[in-house]
Amino acid sequence: MISHRGSADEEDSAEVEVLLSRLTKTKLLTAKIQASLTRLETSAGNVQEAIRPIYGNTQRLQQLGANIDRTLEAIENIRKPLDITSNEENIIRVGPQKAGLSEFLASIRRTNAALTELKSTNLRSSRDAVAKLTNILRAGIQQLEFVFRETLQEDSKPVEPLHYITKELPFPTIAQDKVSRLALINSSVASSLIHLEPDSPADAIPSTARSFSDTRGAYVAKTLQNLAAASMNTTKKKTPDAIYRQGANGIGIYASCMEGLFHAEYENICQMFPREHWGTVYGNTTHSALTEFSKTLRELNTHIKANVTTDCFLAYEITDIVSSLSFRLVEKTGELKDELQDALKPIRETAKTSLGELLDDTRRRVSSMPAVPLDGAAVPLTSETMTRLQTMTAYTSPLTTIMVALGDGNWSLTSSSTNPRNSAKGFDVGADGRQLLAHYCSDTIDTLLQGLENKARTILKGKSLLGVFIANNIAVVESMIRSSDLQPVMTSNWMSRVETWRKKGISLYLDAWKDPSSYLLDVTYTNRAGQRPPSGSSAPINSAEIIKGLSSRDKDALKEKFKAFNASFDDLTSKHKQLTLEPQVKAQLAREVQALIEPLYGRFWDRYREVDKKGKYVRYDKGQLATALAGLG
């Protein structure tokens, strides 16, 4: 056992020695490796110190190469616009006719691009090139402007406007192929403004747009010039006092032609120019024609003011025509509203003041009448005044607008002082224009009839004749209302005022018939036998019994009453038949007299006819009186 343990120790001892030997070798190897690493680090440091200057030089060389490349590129970019100068100059010099419009426009685009490129470099050396290219561009634009004008002129010869109006044809526009060319030219000219007119505002219109307005504006004005003259020529009348007849003046055709031409030009403009220029170009194009139109309206206004009582209706017609024209043009284009309203303003003001002037004219004509018919006939002034009002109904639309602007009753200063409706009212946007027209017609009728009544009171003798005069004139008024478009205008409220005048005339006429009716009134004594029939009795009156109960004095008084009645009745009947009566007045007055006299005479005759059996005093029986009264109608 001891020998076995000794053997194991020897083996362990041998292994330890082996391990120690290997450890020694490892240490030696580690020392060598460490020495190699030290030498390697020293060598690497030496290499790094040697390479660093080379690396820096390489970076600088690379940056220099990049800079050289960019410089060469910039030089190339600068040379490129300079190189195209001669090419574009050749194309622009020969012009669009020879080079072709498409190639010419392409050259203009390239020239604009070259100028933009050169100006962006801001190099001193490129200034000469910029100036040269600008001159080339200007020359090219001038040639385009010439082509633009020449192309426009081809379709801008004045036309006969009545041909299109009478046949209801649209006015001609520029041919579509030409519109396309003109639009391209305008676009090129507009894009060149930044180089040729650098100080112009951003929204400035190009010279081609101005050329369009000048050329087409002259075309529109020349096409319409004969219509302006015709509008003035058609104001001449064979009869100076004749009331203007609707549509007699040429202003309606003038406005229709102008509208058609304006629509055609707006269509051209919309296809040829950018949207932001439509309004400006359209306004410039129509300016000349509108100026002439405004001048024509001023001349017409002068004529109307000189003949306001007969030609005020022309003012109403023009107001309607121009207002409608303005509405339609604004609806289509959104333009010209202010221009047309300014042109219309003088006419519209004349139309406003004419309402008061017509009332004043009615007063003047009544007061200047030397006399009124002594037979009570209606005066011509009544039918003339009603004809005016009838004529007004043809201009309901403009008149209602004018009257709303004036205010109820504010027709004139004269009427304002006497009319209870006038209270210095201003514009009432909610007012009913047709009701205001009815007010005006009613005021006119009142002014006429009141003036005629005042005039007749100083000339005609007796209320009866005055009543006939009023009744005849109001009959003419009513008849002319009912037989015309005044009927729907004059509503029942305003017709009641006519009825008031008619009742006044009838009342005045019946005043004379109070005299014969007064003889038919008697006194019945209820305490005398036979004087009064029993109340509620239907028995016939016994005239003989009544007469028997009267004294001789009473009988003589009754005979005188019959005699006086006969004389008064015959006199009034004779005078009545000498009167000039309107048919409806004659029938109305006969009914009124019959209603007044016949009941009274019938009662009187029933009671007292036996006072005269020979017919010396009792001339009429009830049937004869009824026949005589019927003869009044």
Side-chain angles (χ1 to χ4, degrees), residues 53-196:
I54 298 172
Y55 177 75
N57 290 335
T58 301
Q59 282 188 319
R60 285 193 293 274
L61 289 173
Q62 289 176 340
Q63 182 65 44
L64 179 60
N67 289 341
I68 291 171
D69 290 340
R70 284 195 293 270
T71 301
L72 291 173
E73 183 180 353
I75 291 171
E76 184 64 25
N77 290 335
I78 293 172
R79 289 183 58 192
K80 190 183 297 181
L82 295 176
D83 290 341
I84 71 168
T85 301
S86 58
N87 296 331
E88 307 308 338
E89 185 176 12
N90 292 333
I91 295 173
I92 290 174
R93 185 183 296 113
V94 299
Q97 290 86 355
K98 293 183 179 180
L101 183 61
S102 298
E103 180 60 28
F104 194 88
L105 292 175
S107 178
I108 293 293
R109 286 195 297 272
R110 290 192 296 270
T111 303
N112 275 317
L115 277 170
T116 301
E117 186 75 25
L118 283 172
K119 289 179 179 179
S120 67
T121 62
N122 200 26
L123 294 175
R124 193 176 297 177
S125 59
S126 64
R127 290 178 182 175
D128 292 341
V130 168
K132 187 174 183 179
L133 277 176
T134 301
N135 289 333
I136 293 172
L137 179 63
R138 181 173 285 106
I141 294 302
Q142 289 174 350
Q143 293 185 70
L144 286 179
E145 290 171 348
F146 177 79
V147 172
F148 190 92
R149 287 193 299 271
E150 288 293 305
T151 306
L152 272 180
Q153 289 289 354
E154 293 173 4
D155 286 354
S156 298
K157 296 176 182 178
V159 298
E160 174 48 59
L162 295 180
H163 168 78
Y164 297 93
I165 290 297
T166 55
K167 295 188 176 182
E168 298 182 353
L169 298 173
F171 278 84
T173 57
I174 300 172
Q176 189 60 47
D177 60 329
K178 293 181 180 178
V179 168
S180 300
R181 293 202 304 271
L182 292 171
L184 290 172
I185 292 173
N186 178 74
S187 178
S188 291
V189 174
S191 64
S192 302
L193 279 178
I194 191 172
H195 301 304
L196 300 181

Side-chain angles (χ1 to χ4, degrees), residues 426-552:
F427 180 80
D428 181 6
V429 71
D432 184 346
R434 290 184 64 86
Q435 188 177 53
L436 296 183
L437 180 57
H439 290 186
Y440 179 79
C441 293
S442 182
D443 285 353
T444 300
I445 293 170
D446 283 345
T447 298
L448 170 69
L449 295 177
Q450 189 63 59
L452 291 177
E453 180 186 3
N454 294 340
K455 188 74 174 183
R457 284 185 183 276
T458 64
I459 298 174
L460 300 179
K461 296 179 179 179
K463 293 182 179 179
S464 180
L465 193 53
L466 175 62
V468 169
F469 180 70
I470 292 175
N472 274 329
N473 282 285
I474 198 64
V476 172
V477 168
E478 185 176 11
S479 175
M480 294 185 74
I481 288 175
R482 295 190 183 280
S483 64
S484 69
D485 290 335
L486 279 171
Q487 173 71 31
V489 174
M490 301 288 287
T491 58
S492 58
N493 291 337
W494 305 110
M495 287 301 294
S496 66
R497 297 174 70 170
V498 174
E499 181 67 22
T500 300
W501 278 103
R502 180 171 53 245
K503 289 180 177 180
K504 183 176 185 178
I506 292 172
S507 176
L508 288 169
Y509 172 76
L510 292 177
D511 185 74
W513 289 89
K514 292 178 182 178
D515 180 62
S517 64
S518 67
Y519 300 123
L520 302 177
L521 303 176
D522 63 341
V523 179
T524 301
Y525 297 96
T526 58
N527 60 349
R528 295 183 183 179
Q531 283 283 314
R532 180 176 180 271
S535 178
S537 172
S538 59
I541 297 173
N542 191 333
S543 177
E545 288 294 327
I546 294 173
I547 294 300
K548 190 183 295 186
L550 297 176
S551 64
S552 297

Side-chain angles (χ1 to χ4, degrees), residues 523-592:
V523 179
T524 301
Y525 297 96
T526 58
N527 60 349
R528 295 183 183 179
Q531 283 283 314
R532 180 176 180 271
S535 178
S537 172
S538 59
I541 297 173
N542 191 333
S543 177
E545 288 294 327
I546 294 173
I547 294 300
K548 190 183 295 186
L550 297 176
S551 64
S552 297
R553 183 179 178 182
D554 289 338
K555 292 178 182 178
D556 291 340
L558 286 172
K559 291 177 181 178
E560 287 300 319
K561 282 192 173 187
F562 273 109
K563 181 180 180 181
F565 171 82
N566 293 336
S568 180
F569 180 80
D570 291 345
D571 179 59
L572 288 176
T573 302
S574 176
K575 288 180 179 178
H576 179 90
K577 292 179 179 179
Q578 294 174 7
L579 297 172
T580 299
L581 299 171
E582 297 293 326
Q584 62 270 43
V585 174
K586 189 175 184 180
Q588 178 71 34
L589 293 182
R591 289 193 299 270
E592 295 292 339

